[in-house]
Amino acid sequence: MPFIAFARPDIGQAEINAVARVMRSGWVTTGPETRAFEQDFAAHLGGGVQAIAVNSATAGLHLALEAIGIKPGDQVIAPTLTFTATVEVARYLNADAALVDVDASTLCIDPACIEAAITPRTKAIVPMHYGGLACDMTAVFDIARRHGLYVVEDAAHALPATCQGTLIGQLPSAAAVFSFYANKTMTTGEGGMVVTRDTALAARMRTMRLHGINRDAFDRFQSRTPAWYYEVVAPGFKYNMTDIAAALGRVQLQRLPEFVQRRQQLAARYRAELQDLPLILPADAPPGETHAWHLYVIRLADQARVTRDELIQTLSDAGIGTSVHYVPLHRQPYWRDRYNLEPKQFPVAERAYQRMISIPLFTAMSDDEQGRVIAALRAALR
Ligand SMILES: *Cc1c(COP(=O)(O)O)cnc(C)c1O
């Protein structure tokens, strides 16, 4: 039987045509497609946000922390159950990460743990919408307001997700950062988008995205000032998105409603057909809210008679790819050693980690493929 990969991008002829058109156009780096993608993305979210296209979400998170003024010695609070990119960007700025535990039901950052981690060095909270389910942002904003902290959302999983009826990207945080990495809910190969409502932050991020130059190359070739003239106002980065990636992203964004619907369908079938097994299934979004379903993370319940590693092996033998999201950062040598972290400081994330498996959920997955995943899980756990 053919192997079912953990994830596979959903790229059709329209995406291929869009990329081919840009490649024939004579302009392949940041230009009209990137600008149009930013406009499409901002319009898609609505609410008057500005969108800044970058070459990865990691770059976007770095730009956001730089723009809010994170300095050496500052501290940002983030969940331990995330990808290292969420907090490595603080280290780029010689700031520190304060890693905290997550909520047992949602696996998103636990607001009570945020509160307990605040020190005079704390400058920002970086919540991550785990798996595509929005964090308790009401609690996060309340803490941020009371302590004068910025909120920068790692929204890599959260396109599209809602919190209290508002799309992630439209909430009143300093910035939210989406990822278009190959396995995310839409892709540009590599890429990301920062959104903000703050004009000054947006301007700073646009400048720092391209070498600290105050206008990008396309502007120079369009405007009436001499094309050769530009000004460097800061030691910026090389984080701009190419028009090739943006063309791919524009088509994927148009297909997003179709993608969301398929992901919801796959998640609903998993819930219906796995609920009698000794598993903790991922939390649904509250009624009326949207879950982006980037990941489908199951956890073995106490009654299960197999271990996480045994189940991964059984699924692999059945030709099914899985993953684990994530090895918590407190177990990663760099973070563990830098902050002397121990598993007992993060009981919820630790317990979840020991029992979790991410099973395939991607729009290009067929009903038959999902049926095989369900059958293999039922056979292994019955
Ligand atoms: C994918 C991901 C990122 C990084 O995204 P890139 O676009 O690959 O830089 C950051 N945080 C989380 C939680 C992610 O899943």
Side-chain angles (χ1 to χ4, degrees), residues 356-372:
M356 62 167 45
I357 302 179
S358 303
I359 58 176
L361 192 164
F362 52 94
T363 58
M365 182 180 200
S366 69
D367 290 341
D368 283 352
E369 287 177 314
Q370 189 180 25
R372 271 180 57 199

Side-chain angles (χ1 to χ4, degrees), residues 194-212:
V194 190
V195 304
T196 182
R197 240 188 279 252
D198 184 315
T199 312
L201 288 184
R204 176 68 179 179
M205 292 192 283
R206 286 187 198 285
T207 298
M208 295 307 281
R209 164 177 68 173
L210 196 67
H211 302 297

Side-chain angles (χ1 to χ4, degrees), residues 73-304:
D74 288 348
Q75 208 171 48
V76 308
I77 296 175
T80 184
L81 195 65
T82 188
F83 186 56
T84 192
T86 308
V87 281
E88 72 186 14
V89 294
R91 297 293 306 129
Y92 296 178
L93 298 162
N94 283 310
D96 280 299
L99 297 171
V100 303
D101 210 352
V102 294
D103 176 85
S105 160
T106 63
L107 302 182
C108 287
I109 194 164
D110 181 341
C113 298
I114 298 176
E115 194 102 43
I118 292 171
T119 73
R121 291 167 57 202
T122 309
K123 292 288 155 45
I125 306 169
V126 188
M128 193 279 275
H129 307 295
Y130 184 89
L133 178 61
C135 297
D136 180 355
M137 294 303 289
T138 308
V140 170
F141 285 126
D142 177 58
I143 296 167
R145 205 159 25 238
R146 281 189 284 110
H147 295 272
L149 306 176
Y150 289 100
V151 176
V152 172
E153 294 166 78
D154 181 338
H157 299 182
L159 184 69
T162 62
C163 179
Q164 308 257 315
T166 303
L167 276 174
I168 297 301
Q170 263 198 39
L171 295 174
S173 49
V177 185
F178 297 92
S179 173
F180 308 132
Y181 179 69
N183 69 1
K184 296 291 171 26
T185 55
M186 61 166 266
T187 188
T188 59
E190 298 280 358
M193 192 74 80
V194 190
V195 304
T196 182
R197 240 188 279 252
D198 184 315
T199 312
L201 288 184
R204 176 68 179 179
M205 292 192 283
R206 286 187 198 285
T207 298
M208 295 307 281
R209 164 177 68 173
L210 196 67
H211 302 297
I213 291 171
N214 60 0
R215 292 180 312 168
D216 71 25
F218 183 73
D219 277 342
R220 279 191 278 125
F221 288 101
Q222 291 298 301
S223 73
R224 256 181 276 171
T225 35
W228 51 264
Y229 186 77
Y230 62 90
E231 289 181 345
V232 173
V233 297
F237 312 108
K238 185 67 197 287
Y239 284 167
N240 55 305
M241 177 177 276
T242 69
D243 266 20
I244 298 171
L248 173 50
R250 290 181 74 195
V251 179
Q252 291 264 298
L253 184 63
Q254 276 174 10
R255 295 181 61 199
L256 195 61
E258 163 205 333
F259 289 163
V260 182
Q261 204 186 10
R262 180 64 182 150
R263 283 182 180 274
Q264 285 170 351
Q265 209 173 45
L266 291 162
R269 182 172 173 205
Y270 274 143
R271 171 160 293 282
E273 299 193 28
L274 299 177
Q275 63 182 350
D276 58 320
L277 296 177
L279 292 173
I280 300 169
L281 299 180
D284 278 316
E289 305 291 344
T290 303
H291 192 314
W293 291 115
H294 164 54
L295 298 176
Y296 201 88
V297 179
I298 59 175
R299 284 177 273 170
L300 288 165
D302 287 337
Q303 319 87 278

